[in-house]
Amino acid sequence: MKIGILCFQGDVAEHAEVVKTLGAQPIKVKYPYELEVLNGLIIPGGESTTVGALLEESGMSKAIQKRAQEGMPVWGTCMGAILMAKQFIENSIHQPVLGIMNIKVKRNAYGRQKESFEEEISIPALKCDSFPSVFIRAPWFEPNGSKVEILAQYQGKPVLVKEEHLLASAFHPEIAGEPLLHKYFLEMVKTSKYSSSRGLSN
Amino acid sequence: MPKEGTVLVKRGLAQMLKGGVIMDVTTPEQAKIAEEAGAVSVMALERVPADIRKEGGVARMADPSIIQKIMEVVTIPVMAKCRIGHFVEAEILESLGVDFIDESEVLTPADEQYHVNKHLFKVPFVCGCRDLGEALRRIGEGASMIRTKGEAGTGNIVEAVRHIRAVQDAVKRLTVLSEEEWMTEAKNLGAPYELVKQVAQEKKLPVVNFAAGGVATPADAALMMQLGCDGVFVGSGIFKSSDPAKRAKAIVQAVAYYDNPKKLSEISKGLGEPMAGLDVRKLPEEELLSVRGW
């Protein structure tokens, strides 16, 4: 199974490491043609204004939007989730995004770095009631459509959401040492019809 | 209960900055230009290193009102510099809510014997180094991120290259030593044994390592990435050039496409004049910034 990790900027290597440990093949991607062979894509943590602009300029935005529409499983962590959201809760922010998921996102929702934190949260979908989560200048989400499932909340705000083949997390499982959520995403990729519809081995 | 200011949370922010460019800015307007160009973070300071070099005098932490104004106009993380060993400047910066503190040799050191005890802060610190020993001493004191010092304000990449090569060579050397040699190596490096052991086993630094001090062109930035840095700081190189917005954007792109010479040649075209450079070998000893701190 080939899992792309968008590698313009951010904690790319950390995701690649976990994907590899779980027996899938991580592939760092930044050019549209590299998406061809992928079974799924992870968009890591980083700075959304930086990566948003690079995505747009490189034509990668359009290429990812097309794949996502065709059903390619995509998971965004923190910045990745911000880029996937169709709407921001503050309207005043203008920056290029992918806009592929029916969620609203509040950037830096918990404050600045000194308000960043670690916490164990309950994720019923993973049968885990103490999932180690690192929130770094993290966002939270609001579902904006009937197909969006809330998989986890923190202090009453959704922090892990899923819409069919799309997954968004406000926190960073790639640096917390617990691979359960990566396993969950790989399972999403395995059971998705995307690969077989495109004749890709999975 | 949520835990704030943990090692994971502090080092984590540095991990999110990887592959990015952190730009020195002195005004909110410059901060906006940097953000729009794609900087992952800005460093708020009173004067860029080239001006500190030219004007002399004691260089201190920036005026808190300037730092606050910069924090208000951008959504990316804001860093600020304190003097080496000046823990009160660091406390002030933490209370302002800056996202990262640079305990920097570019400012005039406040303490020639001790650096700040960075474990005591919830805000992460980045510190400069010239070699592995210095990097591990700073990490031992609680730095969550390292940058090679280079020679700030010169527009000359030679010292930055020297420092990253020194760090990489020492890491490589550690990975081939046998276990009984680690303590002697720790003694020779002047570094904590536990960190020496960790580097020997993991074959890399335990924190993110950026390049700094002398990056003036997209090619300089790409060179530092190819030499194994996780990202770059650009100080005077942007706002001392003839077209800051264009150069800033080009350097961001160069870091993203550092391994693609064809792209780099496009990126490097028509950027106007880079900052004027200085020959580091002609600088008198007392004007060198990288020798500050130990």
Side-chain angles (χ1 to χ4, degrees), chain B residues 145-264:
Chain B
M145 178 177 179
I146 287 296
R147 55 175 176 74
T148 44
K149 286 177 175 173
E151 189 58 39
T154 61
N156 187 338
I157 198 71
V158 66
E159 292 302 303
V161 170
R162 191 190 318 282
H163 298 158
I164 186 63
R165 286 208 184 273
V167 171
Q168 306 280 31
D169 287 352
V171 171
K172 265 184 238 159
R173 182 182 145 71
L174 263 181
T175 62
V176 297
L177 293 184
S178 53
E179 213 171 313
E180 68 268 20
E181 295 173 272
W182 293 347
M183 186 58 85
T184 303
E185 191 66 3
K187 176 175 176 260
N188 293 341
L189 289 169
Y193 174 75
E194 285 306 320
L195 290 174
V196 168
K197 181 177 162 187
Q198 193 181 348
V199 173
Q201 288 172 332
E202 293 174 7
K203 303 180 171 39
K204 61 181 175 66
L205 283 178
V207 302
V208 166
N209 180 24
F210 271 45
V215 174
T217 67
D220 288 346
L223 174 66
M224 298 316 293
M225 294 302 288
Q226 290 222 22
L227 289 175
C229 291
D230 293 313
V232 298
F233 283 86
V234 188
S236 323
I238 290 170
F239 290 99
K240 286 285 156 191
S241 73
S242 66
D243 191 345
K246 204 167 175 185
R247 184 163 294 267
K249 194 173 168 192
I251 293 178
V252 169
Q253 293 200 322
V255 168
Y257 295 105
Y258 69 94
D259 53 356
N260 184 338
K262 207 171 154 205
K263 272 286 241 198
L264 289 171

Side-chain angles (χ1 to χ4, degrees), chain B:
Chain B
M1 275 297 286
K3 289 177 289 201
E4 296 177 341
T6 62
V7 168
L8 202 57
V9 168
K10 293 200 281 188
R11 290 185 183 177
L13 178 57
Q15 286 169 280
M16 302 312 147
L17 300 174
K18 284 195 295 181
V21 182
I22 300 165
M23 302 182 191
D24 277 4
V25 297
T26 56
T27 63
E29 293 72 34
Q30 289 184 353
K32 278 308 279 185
I33 291 172
E35 182 177 55
E36 275 157 27
V40 288
S41 173
V42 289
M43 175 77 69
L45 74 173
E46 211 151 43
R47 294 177 283 171
V48 293
D51 288 335
I52 292 174
R53 210 171 259 297
K54 206 158 60 189
E55 293 158 16
V58 174
R60 310 177 179 91
M61 173 187 82
D63 182 332
S65 65
I66 295 177
I67 298 171
Q68 265 171 331
K69 277 185 202 138
I70 289 171
M71 287 165 58
E72 280 162 21
V73 300
V74 294
T75 63
I76 54 179
V78 174
M79 301 188 172
K81 287 183 194 289
C82 76
R83 284 178 263 178
I84 289 174
H86 206 315
F87 55 87
V88 173
E89 282 187 349
E91 288 168 357
I92 292 170
L93 293 174
E94 181 172 59
S95 80
L96 285 175
V98 302
D99 299 289
F100 235 107
I101 298 173
D102 183 1
E103 185 183 18
S104 177
E105 72 284 358
V106 169
L107 305 185
T108 312
D111 191 326
E112 296 192 329
Q113 203 170 3
Y114 302 113
H115 285 250
V116 172
N117 178 2
K118 296 165 273 284
H119 293 293
L120 300 176
F121 290 77
K122 253 165 64 174
V123 169
F125 276 73
V126 53
C127 289
C129 76
R130 282 161 295 172
D131 52 41
L132 182 62
E134 197 173 8
L136 296 183
R137 287 191 290 278
R138 296 294 85 75
I139 296 167
E141 292 160 357
S144 305
M145 178 177 179
I146 287 296
R147 55 175 176 74
T148 44
K149 286 177 175 173
E151 189 58 39
T154 61
N156 187 338
I157 198 71
V158 66
E159 292 302 303
V161 170
R162 191 190 318 282
H163 298 158
I164 186 63
R165 286 208 184 273
V167 171
Q168 306 280 31
D169 287 352
V171 171
K172 265 184 238 159
R173 182 182 145 71
L174 263 181
T175 62
V176 297
L177 293 184
S178 53
E179 213 171 313
E180 68 268 20
E181 295 173 272
W182 293 347
M183 186 58 85
T184 303
E185 191 66 3
K187 176 175 176 260
N188 293 341
L189 289 169
Y193 174 75
E194 285 306 320
L195 290 174
V196 168
K197 181 177 162 187
Q198 193 181 348
V199 173
Q201 288 172 332
E202 293 174 7
K203 303 180 171 39
K204 61 181 175 66
L205 283 178
V207 302
V208 166
N209 180 24
F210 271 45
V215 174
T217 67
D220 288 346
L223 174 66
M224 298 316 293
M225 294 302 288
Q226 290 222 22
L227 289 175
C229 291
D230 293 313
V232 298
F233 283 86
V234 188
S236 323
I238 290 170
F239 290 99
K240 286 285 156 191
S241 73
S242 66
D243 191 345
K246 204 167 175 185
R247 184 163 294 267
K249 194 173 168 192
I251 293 178
V252 169
Q253 293 200 322
V255 168
Y257 295 105
Y258 69 94
D259 53 356
N260 184 338
K262 207 171 154 205
K263 272 286 241 198
L264 289 171
S265 70
E266 287 303 315
I267 291 164
S268 304
K269 281 179 187 165
L271 299 178
E273 282 300 304
M275 72 178 283
L278 293 172
D279 185 345
V280 178
R281 278 173 301 184
K282 289 187 182 140
L283 288 178
E285 182 70 24
E286 65 273 17
E287 285 183 21
L288 292 176
L289 302 178
S290 63
V291 297
R292 294 167 167 182
W294 54 274

Side-chain angles (χ1 to χ4, degrees), chain A residues 44-58:
Chain A
E47 270 309 312
S48 62
T49 48
T50 305
V51 175
L54 289 163
L55 275 169
E56 184 120 311
E57 219 143 6
S58 61

